[in-house]
Amino acid sequence: MFPYVCFHKEKLQPKRWQIEVKKGQKKREMANKASNFSHLIHRVAASCLSRPHTRVHELREENSVTREWEEKTEREEEDKEGILEKVRGMEGLMAQVFDAVSSMTRAYVSLQAAQCTWETEKVIAADVAVVGELKKLTWLMERFGEGKGLGPYGEGVVGPYEATVDFKEMLPSIATVGKKVLFHPSQWRISCSGRVSTSPTAEIFHECMREVREDTKSFTTLLLSFMRSARWDITAAVRSIVSIKTVQSPHHAVESYINRTIYRNFHNETFGMDHPVRHDRFAEFKVIKSMGPTELIGAPPTSHFGKFCMKKYLAVIHPSMEESLLGSLEHRRLILAGTHPRTEFYAEFVAVARSVWMLHQLAFALDPTPTQFEANQGAEFHPEFMESVVRFPGQWTPVGQMAVGFPISPGFELGNGDVVKARVYAVSRT
């Protein structure tokens, strides 16, 4: 039997060692709390000590960003002011463009009026004015294009005017200024009047002679193409022009025929035309040189050149040839009625007539007048006065054994001793 009181006392009164253990645990818990609190104080203190440095760094970064933003804003304002200044310049340029267009229109009307009366001095003056306005317009066109690089500000100024001023449509023919100007559709070279010599020279004559040969070759090629299209017997056509049996190329024979016809009466002051002789030949030369074939077709047919061109066409292209090549006699009908045909074929012929007419005016403007000569068929070949358009196959042929098969174009001896050699089709005497 267990005593109740003793059990009760043992249960209500713990042993001494148990009390001591609990006291030890409480001391350790308090020590841990003290240690944690000390660590917390250390962390707070460390944070407080480092806080001033972090804040200073943050302030520096904020100030740097502020300065960069201010500098960027200043640059943008300066750029905007510069663009606005250019825009104001573009607005001023627009006024110059429209003034130049008006001046160009007036100059062109004056040129047309001068061409109608064909007064040489007025035509030259009007031509100089037109060329001057073309130069100015081209310069403005280049400046106008610079406005597209101004961003939205420049586009806001240039854009509305582009719908009104279409340079490509208004001046489709201008390629360069100062050296040469190309006009559509003939694409003909026109020398600026300000760059033409004030007096005729041998150098200009040589240059003009080269132009004559190029134009004649071009028309010869065109004529041959029409012959082939019309199914001509080219060999028979060549034999009707020249008497030699063999020709390396039909081109030489056809070119010979064209030159023989168009140079006829070249030695005459009036070129075989029934009109008074002009005193200022070089001025006439410059007027014709300043115009392309297409423009000359639009010139009055009653002018000296217009009559010359029509007369030479009727001589070179006889009725049966025209009807065979072109299918009708419409060109001849228009010419006899006093009107220039508006066809590519006729324009190519006008180019030949133009260059030969210029050469004639220039020849009689030189003092002394050049001496014209031509090599006849069967004559001995003289290399100092002749050049052959063909080379002999095989071994070299001595000059003494060469002869003129048929002439191609005449030669000229100038007053300064220069010689423009006659072109011939040379053959061997053997």
Side-chain angles (χ1 to χ4, degrees), residues 308-349:
F308 168 80
C309 188
M310 291 178 172
K311 181 178 180 179
K312 290 299 182 180
Y313 176 87
L314 296 176
V316 173
I317 310 297
H318 52 77
S320 58
M321 179 187 293
E322 179 179 325
E323 188 172 15
S324 174
L325 298 180
L326 305 180
S328 70
L329 296 175
E330 183 65 15
H331 281 61
R332 182 170 295 269
R333 185 188 67 79
L334 290 172
I335 290 173
L336 292 175
T339 303
H340 290 296
R342 302 299 181 104
T343 65
E344 179 186 357
F345 184 83
Y346 187 74
E348 286 289 334
F349 177 81

mmCIF file of all heavy atoms in Angstrom, residues 308-349:
data_model
loop_
_atom_site.group_PDB
_atom_site.id
_atom_site.type_symbol
_atom_site.label_atom_id
_atom_site.label_comp_id
_atom_site.label_asym_id
_atom_site.label_seq_id
_atom_site.Cartn_x
_atom_site.Cartn_y
_atom_site.Cartn_z
ATOM 1 N N PHE A 308 16.910 75.010 -147.410
ATOM 2 C CA PHE A 308 18.053 74.156 -147.755
ATOM 3 C C PHE A 308 17.771 72.699 -147.396
ATOM 4 O O PHE A 308 18.024 71.781 -148.189
ATOM 5 C CB PHE A 308 19.295 74.657 -147.022
ATOM 6 C CG PHE A 308 20.453 73.712 -147.055
ATOM 7 C CD1 PHE A 308 21.273 73.625 -148.170
ATOM 8 C CD2 PHE A 308 20.733 72.896 -145.958
ATOM 9 C CE1 PHE A 308 22.347 72.745 -148.206
ATOM 10 C CE2 PHE A 308 21.802 72.018 -145.983
ATOM 11 C CZ PHE A 308 22.612 71.942 -147.117
ATOM 12 N N CYS A 309 17.220 72.495 -146.203
ATOM 13 C CA CYS A 309 16.961 71.144 -145.727
ATOM 14 C C CYS A 309 15.949 70.438 -146.635
ATOM 15 O O CYS A 309 16.138 69.273 -147.014
ATOM 16 C CB CYS A 309 16.434 71.207 -144.295
ATOM 17 S SG CYS A 309 16.284 69.611 -143.496
ATOM 18 N N MET A 310 14.882 71.120 -146.976
ATOM 19 C CA MET A 310 13.861 70.522 -147.832
ATOM 20 C C MET A 310 14.410 70.204 -149.230
ATOM 21 O O MET A 310 14.134 69.141 -149.791
ATOM 22 C CB MET A 310 12.662 71.471 -147.939
ATOM 23 C CG MET A 310 11.869 71.617 -146.652
ATOM 24 S SD MET A 310 10.508 72.798 -146.826
ATOM 25 C CE MET A 310 9.656 72.560 -145.265
ATOM 26 N N LYS A 311 15.190 71.124 -149.762
ATOM 27 C CA LYS A 311 15.758 70.923 -151.105
ATOM 28 C C LYS A 311 16.687 69.715 -151.129
ATOM 29 O O LYS A 311 16.633 68.894 -152.068
ATOM 30 C CB LYS A 311 16.508 72.180 -151.544
ATOM 31 C CG LYS A 311 17.113 72.081 -152.936
ATOM 32 C CD LYS A 311 17.811 73.368 -153.336
ATOM 33 C CE LYS A 311 18.419 73.250 -154.739
ATOM 34 N NZ LYS A 311 19.086 74.514 -155.147
ATOM 35 N N LYS A 312 17.526 69.575 -150.128
ATOM 36 C CA LYS A 312 18.464 68.459 -150.088
ATOM 37 C C LYS A 312 17.749 67.123 -149.858
ATOM 38 O O LYS A 312 18.160 66.095 -150.404
ATOM 39 C CB LYS A 312 19.522 68.692 -149.010
ATOM 40 C CG LYS A 312 20.499 69.810 -149.340
ATOM 41 C CD LYS A 312 21.279 69.508 -150.616
ATOM 42 C CE LYS A 312 22.290 70.590 -150.945
ATOM 43 N NZ LYS A 312 23.048 70.286 -152.197
ATOM 44 N N TYR A 313 16.679 67.131 -149.092
ATOM 45 C CA TYR A 313 15.933 65.886 -148.877
ATOM 46 C C TYR A 313 15.351 65.392 -150.195
ATOM 47 O O TYR A 313 15.436 64.197 -150.522
ATOM 48 C CB TYR A 313 14.814 66.088 -147.854
ATOM 49 C CG TYR A 313 13.952 64.859 -147.677
ATOM 50 C CD1 TYR A 313 14.293 63.861 -146.776
ATOM 51 C CD2 TYR A 313 12.793 64.683 -148.443
ATOM 52 C CE1 TYR A 313 13.520 62.718 -146.639
ATOM 53 C CE2 TYR A 313 12.016 63.550 -148.315
ATOM 54 C CZ TYR A 313 12.374 62.564 -147.415
ATOM 55 O OH TYR A 313 11.609 61.433 -147.284
ATOM 56 N N LEU A 314 14.741 66.298 -150.955
ATOM 57 C CA LEU A 314 14.140 65.909 -152.230
ATOM 58 C C LEU A 314 15.195 65.401 -153.213
ATOM 59 O O LEU A 314 14.899 64.567 -154.074
ATOM 60 C CB LEU A 314 13.394 67.102 -152.836
ATOM 61 C CG LEU A 314 12.186 67.615 -152.027
ATOM 62 C CD1 LEU A 314 11.600 68.857 -152.696
ATOM 63 C CD2 LEU A 314 11.133 66.531 -151.878
ATOM 64 N N ALA A 315 16.443 65.899 -153.055
ATOM 65 C CA ALA A 315 17.521 65.455 -153.952
ATOM 66 C C ALA A 315 18.069 64.092 -153.533
ATOM 67 O O ALA A 315 18.400 63.256 -154.387
ATOM 68 C CB ALA A 315 18.649 66.489 -153.959
ATOM 69 N N VAL A 316 18.173 63.847 -152.241
ATOM 70 C CA VAL A 316 18.742 62.580 -151.755
ATOM 71 C C VAL A 316 17.717 61.451 -151.843
ATOM 72 O O VAL A 316 18.028 60.348 -152.296
ATOM 73 C CB VAL A 316 19.248 62.745 -150.300
ATOM 74 C CG1 VAL A 316 19.683 61.390 -149.723
ATOM 75 C CG2 VAL A 316 20.404 63.727 -150.235
ATOM 76 N N ILE A 317 16.494 61.712 -151.396
ATOM 77 C CA ILE A 317 15.439 60.687 -151.383
ATOM 78 C C ILE A 317 14.489 60.963 -152.547
ATOM 79 O O ILE A 317 13.559 61.768 -152.439
ATOM 80 C CB ILE A 317 14.670 60.694 -150.044
ATOM 81 C CG1 ILE A 317 15.651 60.658 -148.865
ATOM 82 C CG2 ILE A 317 13.698 59.529 -149.978
ATOM 83 C CD1 ILE A 317 16.506 59.420 -148.789
ATOM 84 N N HIS A 318 14.720 60.298 -153.668
ATOM 85 C CA HIS A 318 13.866 60.529 -154.830
ATOM 86 C C HIS A 318 12.531 59.803 -154.631
ATOM 87 O O HIS A 318 12.384 58.942 -153.741
ATOM 88 C CB HIS A 318 14.571 60.088 -156.124
ATOM 89 C CG HIS A 318 15.107 58.714 -156.092
ATOM 90 N ND1 HIS A 318 14.313 57.594 -156.242
ATOM 91 C CD2 HIS A 318 16.373 58.253 -155.924
ATOM 92 C CE1 HIS A 318 15.049 56.512 -156.185
ATOM 93 N NE2 HIS A 318 16.309 56.880 -155.995
ATOM 94 N N PRO A 319 11.501 60.139 -155.429
ATOM 95 C CA PRO A 319 10.142 59.621 -155.181
ATOM 96 C C PRO A 319 10.050 58.099 -155.083
ATOM 97 O O PRO A 319 9.414 57.564 -154.159
ATOM 98 C CB PRO A 319 9.348 60.153 -156.375
ATOM 99 C CG PRO A 319 10.080 61.379 -156.790
ATOM 100 C CD PRO A 319 11.527 61.094 -156.536
ATOM 101 N N SER A 320 10.645 57.382 -156.010
ATOM 102 C CA SER A 320 10.529 55.913 -155.978
ATOM 103 C C SER A 320 11.188 55.333 -154.728
ATOM 104 O O SER A 320 10.699 54.354 -154.146
ATOM 105 C CB SER A 320 11.156 55.310 -157.234
ATOM 106 O OG SER A 320 12.523 55.678 -157.350
ATOM 107 N N MET A 321 12.297 55.943 -154.287
ATOM 108 C CA MET A 321 12.967 55.467 -153.082
ATOM 109 C C MET A 321 12.080 55.705 -151.859
ATOM 110 O O MET A 321 11.914 54.812 -151.013
ATOM 111 C CB MET A 321 14.310 56.191 -152.903
ATOM 112 C CG MET A 321 15.067 55.766 -151.656
ATOM 113 S SD MET A 321 16.548 56.748 -151.342
ATOM 114 C CE MET A 321 17.570 56.256 -152.721
ATOM 115 N N GLU A 322 11.501 56.900 -151.756
ATOM 116 C CA GLU A 322 10.655 57.206 -150.598
ATOM 117 C C GLU A 322 9.445 56.294 -150.534
ATOM 118 O O GLU A 322 9.090 55.773 -149.462
ATOM 119 C CB GLU A 322 10.190 58.662 -150.655
ATOM 120 C CG GLU A 322 9.280 59.043 -149.485
ATOM 121 C CD GLU A 322 8.838 60.485 -149.522
ATOM 122 O OE1 GLU A 322 9.636 61.345 -149.944
ATOM 123 O OE2 GLU A 322 7.687 60.758 -149.119
ATOM 124 N N GLU A 323 8.801 56.078 -151.666
ATOM 125 C CA GLU A 323 7.607 55.235 -151.667
ATOM 126 C C GLU A 323 7.956 53.797 -151.298
ATOM 127 O O GLU A 323 7.196 53.124 -150.594
ATOM 128 C CB GLU A 323 6.947 55.283 -153.045
ATOM 129 C CG GLU A 323 5.586 54.595 -153.095
ATOM 130 C CD GLU A 323 4.875 54.816 -154.406
ATOM 131 O OE1 GLU A 323 5.539 55.245 -155.379
ATOM 132 O OE2 GLU A 323 3.658 54.562 -154.468
ATOM 133 N N SER A 324 9.124 53.337 -151.747
ATOM 134 C CA SER A 324 9.533 51.971 -151.433
ATOM 135 C C SER A 324 9.927 51.820 -149.970
ATOM 136 O O SER A 324 9.571 50.837 -149.316
ATOM 137 C CB SER A 324 10.697 51.567 -152.334
ATOM 138 O OG SER A 324 11.208 50.297 -151.968
ATOM 139 N N LEU A 325 10.649 52.795 -149.456
ATOM 140 C CA LEU A 325 11.163 52.692 -148.084
ATOM 141 C C LEU A 325 10.121 53.065 -147.041
ATOM 142 O O LEU A 325 10.040 52.418 -145.983
ATOM 143 C CB LEU A 325 12.390 53.590 -147.921
ATOM 144 C CG LEU A 325 13.608 53.276 -148.799
ATOM 145 C CD1 LEU A 325 14.732 54.252 -148.506
ATOM 146 C CD2 LEU A 325 14.081 51.846 -148.587
ATOM 147 N N LEU A 326 9.334 54.105 -147.301
ATOM 148 C CA LEU A 326 8.405 54.629 -146.301
ATOM 149 C C LEU A 326 6.958 54.239 -146.566
ATOM 150 O O LEU A 326 6.082 54.509 -145.740
ATOM 151 C CB LEU A 326 8.526 56.157 -146.227
ATOM 152 C CG LEU A 326 9.931 56.700 -145.953
ATOM 153 C CD1 LEU A 326 9.921 58.217 -145.901
ATOM 154 C CD2 LEU A 326 10.502 56.128 -144.662
ATOM 155 N N GLY A 327 6.708 53.647 -147.710
ATOM 156 C CA GLY A 327 5.358 53.167 -147.985
ATOM 157 C C GLY A 327 4.430 54.172 -148.612
ATOM 158 O O GLY A 327 3.284 53.844 -148.960
ATOM 159 N N SER A 328 4.853 55.409 -148.743
ATOM 160 C CA SER A 328 4.026 56.454 -149.360
ATOM 161 C C SER A 328 4.909 57.632 -149.726
ATOM 162 O O SER A 328 6.116 57.639 -149.452
ATOM 163 C CB SER A 328 2.916 56.903 -148.402
ATOM 164 O OG SER A 328 3.471 57.625 -147.304
ATOM 165 N N LEU A 329 4.291 58.644 -150.320
ATOM 166 C CA LEU A 329 5.013 59.879 -150.669
ATOM 167 C C LEU A 329 4.596 61.029 -149.752
ATOM 168 O O LEU A 329 4.648 62.198 -150.140
ATOM 169 C CB LEU A 329 4.726 60.241 -152.134
ATOM 170 C CG LEU A 329 5.225 59.243 -153.183
ATOM 171 C CD1 LEU A 329 4.768 59.662 -154.581
ATOM 172 C CD2 LEU A 329 6.746 59.136 -153.137
ATOM 173 N N GLU A 330 4.209 60.674 -148.514
ATOM 174 C CA GLU A 330 3.715 61.692 -147.584
ATOM 175 C C GLU A 330 4.788 62.723 -147.233
ATOM 176 O O GLU A 330 4.505 63.914 -147.129
ATOM 177 C CB GLU A 330 3.204 61.009 -146.305
ATOM 178 C CG GLU A 330 2.592 61.951 -145.276
ATOM 179 C CD GLU A 330 1.319 62.622 -145.775
ATOM 180 O OE1 GLU A 330 0.753 62.162 -146.774
ATOM 181 O OE2 GLU A 330 0.907 63.612 -145.147
ATOM 182 N N HIS A 331 6.030 62.276 -147.059
ATOM 183 C CA HIS A 331 7.111 63.218 -146.741
ATOM 184 C C HIS A 331 7.266 64.245 -147.862
ATOM 185 O O HIS A 331 7.360 65.454 -147.607
ATOM 186 C CB HIS A 331 8.432 62.470 -146.546
ATOM 187 C CG HIS A 331 8.557 61.807 -145.211
ATOM 188 N ND1 HIS A 331 7.694 60.821 -144.791
ATOM 189 C CD2 HIS A 331 9.457 61.969 -144.191
ATOM 190 C CE1 HIS A 331 8.046 60.410 -143.585
ATOM 191 N NE2 HIS A 331 9.128 61.093 -143.199
ATOM 192 N N ARG A 332 7.272 63.761 -149.086
ATOM 193 C CA ARG A 332 7.442 64.656 -150.231
ATOM 194 C C ARG A 332 6.251 65.613 -150.351
ATOM 195 O O ARG A 332 6.421 66.799 -150.663
ATOM 196 C CB ARG A 332 7.591 63.818 -151.501
ATOM 197 C CG ARG A 332 7.815 64.592 -152.781
ATOM 198 C CD ARG A 332 8.178 63.641 -153.898
ATOM 199 N NE ARG A 332 9.473 63.010 -153.616
ATOM 200 C CZ ARG A 332 10.640 63.506 -154.035
ATOM 201 N NH1 ARG A 332 10.684 64.595 -154.755
ATOM 202 N NH2 ARG A 332 11.753 62.884 -153.733
ATOM 203 N N ARG A 333 5.057 65.104 -150.103
ATOM 204 C CA ARG A 333 3.876 65.957 -150.181
ATOM 205 C C ARG A 333 3.939 67.083 -149.156
ATOM 206 O O ARG A 333 3.642 68.245 -149.471
ATOM 207 C CB ARG A 333 2.617 65.118 -149.949
ATOM 208 C CG ARG A 333 1.309 65.898 -150.143
ATOM 209 C CD ARG A 333 0.117 65.065 -149.696
ATOM 210 N NE ARG A 333 0.131 64.844 -148.251
ATOM 211 C CZ ARG A 333 -0.267 65.752 -147.355
ATOM 212 N NH1 ARG A 333 -0.683 66.962 -147.759
ATOM 213 N NH2 ARG A 333 -0.236 65.469 -146.076
ATOM 214 N N LEU A 334 4.328 66.763 -147.924
ATOM 215 C CA LEU A 334 4.421 67.788 -146.873
ATOM 216 C C LEU A 334 5.505 68.817 -147.202
ATOM 217 O O LEU A 334 5.312 70.031 -147.011
ATOM 218 C CB LEU A 334 4.723 67.123 -145.525
ATOM 219 C CG LEU A 334 3.594 66.288 -144.909
ATOM 220 C CD1 LEU A 334 4.101 65.544 -143.683
ATOM 221 C CD2 LEU A 334 2.419 67.191 -144.526
ATOM 222 N N ILE A 335 6.642 68.341 -147.698
ATOM 223 C CA ILE A 335 7.744 69.249 -148.012
ATOM 224 C C ILE A 335 7.369 70.188 -149.151
ATOM 225 O O ILE A 335 7.622 71.402 -149.091
ATOM 226 C CB ILE A 335 9.013 68.439 -148.356
ATOM 227 C CG1 ILE A 335 9.559 67.769 -147.090
ATOM 228 C CG2 ILE A 335 10.077 69.333 -148.983
ATOM 229 C CD1 ILE A 335 10.696 66.825 -147.341
ATOM 230 N N LEU A 336 6.737 69.668 -150.179
ATOM 231 C CA LEU A 336 6.318 70.511 -151.303
ATOM 232 C C LEU A 336 5.250 71.518 -150.872
ATOM 233 O O LEU A 336 5.104 72.583 -151.486
ATOM 234 C CB LEU A 336 5.799 69.641 -152.448
ATOM 235 C CG LEU A 336 6.861 68.771 -153.141
ATOM 236 C CD1 LEU A 336 6.220 67.863 -154.179
ATOM 237 C CD2 LEU A 336 7.948 69.647 -153.776
ATOM 238 N N ALA A 337 4.525 71.182 -149.784
ATOM 239 C CA ALA A 337 3.526 72.103 -149.244
ATOM 240 C C ALA A 337 4.146 73.101 -148.267
ATOM 241 O O ALA A 337 3.436 73.946 -147.702
ATOM 242 C CB ALA A 337 2.412 71.321 -148.558
ATOM 243 N N GLY A 338 5.479 72.973 -148.044
ATOM 244 C CA GLY A 338 6.160 73.918 -147.167
ATOM 245 C C GLY A 338 6.135 73.541 -145.699
ATOM 246 O O GLY A 338 6.226 74.413 -144.825
ATOM 247 N N THR A 339 6.041 72.243 -145.385
ATOM 248 C CA THR A 339 5.974 71.780 -143.992
ATOM 249 C C THR A 339 7.013 70.695 -143.757
ATOM 250 O O THR A 339 7.199 69.808 -144.595
ATOM 251 C CB THR A 339 4.581 71.208 -143.669
ATOM 252 O OG1 THR A 339 3.598 72.205 -143.933
ATOM 253 C CG2 THR A 339 4.496 70.783 -142.202
ATOM 254 N N HIS A 340 7.683 70.757 -142.614
ATOM 255 C CA HIS A 340 8.647 69.710 -142.244
ATOM 256 C C HIS A 340 7.903 68.487 -141.715
ATOM 257 O O HIS A 340 7.083 68.607 -140.804
ATOM 258 C CB HIS A 340 9.599 70.212 -141.151
ATOM 259 C CG HIS A 340 10.565 71.247 -141.595
ATOM 260 N ND1 HIS A 340 11.537 71.009 -142.529
ATOM 261 C CD2 HIS A 340 10.705 72.547 -141.209
ATOM 262 C CE1 HIS A 340 12.258 72.113 -142.708
ATOM 263 N NE2 HIS A 340 11.771 73.058 -141.929
ATOM 264 N N PRO A 341 8.165 67.299 -142.239
ATOM 265 C CA PRO A 341 7.574 66.079 -141.669
ATOM 266 C C PRO A 341 8.067 65.857 -140.239
ATOM 267 O O PRO A 341 9.223 66.137 -139.923
ATOM 268 C CB PRO A 341 8.073 64.961 -142.595
ATOM 269 C CG PRO A 341 8.438 65.657 -143.868
ATOM 270 C CD PRO A 341 8.941 67.004 -143.466
ATOM 271 N N ARG A 342 7.205 65.348 -139.394
ATOM 272 C CA ARG A 342 7.577 65.106 -137.993
ATOM 273 C C ARG A 342 7.776 63.603 -137.783
ATOM 274 O O ARG A 342 6.971 62.934 -137.140
ATOM 275 C CB ARG A 342 6.489 65.631 -137.052
ATOM 276 C CG ARG A 342 6.162 67.114 -137.196
ATOM 277 C CD ARG A 342 7.356 67.978 -136.902
ATOM 278 N NE ARG A 342 7.060 69.391 -136.999
ATOM 279 C CZ ARG A 342 6.881 70.213 -135.974
ATOM 280 N NH1 ARG A 342 6.968 69.730 -134.744
ATOM 281 N NH2 ARG A 342 6.637 71.485 -136.164
ATOM 282 N N THR A 343 8.844 63.060 -138.365
ATOM 283 C CA THR A 343 9.143 61.636 -138.231
ATOM 284 C C THR A 343 10.597 61.453 -137.833
ATOM 285 O O THR A 343 11.430 62.357 -138.004
ATOM 286 C CB THR A 343 8.896 60.883 -139.551
ATOM 287 O OG1 THR A 343 9.818 61.353 -140.546
ATOM 288 C CG2 THR A 343 7.466 61.080 -140.048
ATOM 289 N N GLU A 344 10.910 60.272 -137.312
ATOM 290 C CA GLU A 344 12.287 59.968 -136.921
ATOM 291 C C GLU A 344 13.203 59.949 -138.152
ATOM 292 O O GLU A 344 14.341 60.423 -138.092
ATOM 293 C CB GLU A 344 12.336 58.611 -136.224
ATOM 294 C CG GLU A 344 13.739 58.189 -135.793
ATOM 295 C CD GLU A 344 13.769 56.781 -135.231
ATOM 296 O OE1 GLU A 344 12.702 56.161 -135.127
ATOM 297 O OE2 GLU A 344 14.881 56.304 -134.924
ATOM 298 N N PHE A 345 12.691 59.415 -139.249
ATOM 299 C CA PHE A 345 13.485 59.334 -140.475
ATOM 300 C C PHE A 345 13.897 60.733 -140.943
ATOM 301 O O PHE A 345 15.070 60.985 -141.268
ATOM 302 C CB PHE A 345 12.678 58.625 -141.568
ATOM 303 C CG PHE A 345 13.437 58.413 -142.852
ATOM 304 C CD1 PHE A 345 14.297 57.333 -142.996
ATOM 305 C CD2 PHE A 345 13.293 59.294 -143.917
ATOM 306 C CE1 PHE A 345 15.008 57.128 -144.182
ATOM 307 C CE2 PHE A 345 13.992 59.103 -145.102
ATOM 308 C CZ PHE A 345 14.851 58.026 -145.237
ATOM 309 N N TYR A 346 12.945 61.647 -140.962
ATOM 310 C CA TYR A 346 13.245 63.008 -141.413
ATOM 311 C C TYR A 346 14.152 63.730 -140.416
ATOM 312 O O TYR A 346 15.040 64.500 -140.803
ATOM 313 C CB TYR A 346 11.950 63.796 -141.620
ATOM 314 C CG TYR A 346 12.161 65.154 -142.254
ATOM 315 C CD1 TYR A 346 12.472 65.265 -143.607
ATOM 316 C CD2 TYR A 346 12.051 66.318 -141.506
ATOM 317 C CE1 TYR A 346 12.676 66.509 -144.201
ATOM 318 C CE2 TYR A 346 12.239 67.562 -142.081
ATOM 319 C CZ TYR A 346 12.554 67.650 -143.428
ATOM 320 O OH TYR A 346 12.756 68.880 -144.007
ATOM 321 N N ALA A 347 13.950 63.480 -139.117
ATOM 322 C CA ALA A 347 14.789 64.113 -138.098
ATOM 323 C C ALA A 347 16.248 63.688 -138.253
ATOM 324 O O ALA A 347 17.166 64.501 -138.063
ATOM 325 C CB ALA A 347 14.282 63.767 -136.703
ATOM 326 N N GLU A 348 16.482 62.409 -138.599
ATOM 327 C CA GLU A 348 17.855 61.937 -138.829
ATOM 328 C C GLU A 348 18.473 62.632 -140.035
ATOM 329 O O GLU A 348 19.662 62.965 -140.033
ATOM 330 C CB GLU A 348 17.860 60.423 -139.032
ATOM 331 C CG GLU A 348 17.639 59.615 -137.762
ATOM 332 C CD GLU A 348 18.836 59.674 -136.835
ATOM 333 O OE1 GLU A 348 19.965 59.899 -137.330
ATOM 334 O OE2 GLU A 348 18.651 59.505 -135.623
ATOM 335 N N PHE A 349 17.664 62.857 -141.074
ATOM 336 C CA PHE A 349 18.183 63.570 -142.234
ATOM 337 C C PHE A 349 18.469 65.030 -141.888
ATOM 338 O O PHE A 349 19.477 65.602 -142.343
ATOM 339 C CB PHE A 349 17.193 63.504 -143.401
ATOM 340 C CG PHE A 349 17.651 64.276 -144.606
ATOM 341 C CD1 PHE A 349 18.573 63.720 -145.488
ATOM 342 C CD2 PHE A 349 17.208 65.576 -144.837
ATOM 343 C CE1 PHE A 349 19.034 64.449 -146.581
ATOM 344 C CE2 PHE A 349 17.657 66.302 -145.926
ATOM 345 C CZ PHE A 349 18.571 65.736 -146.805
#
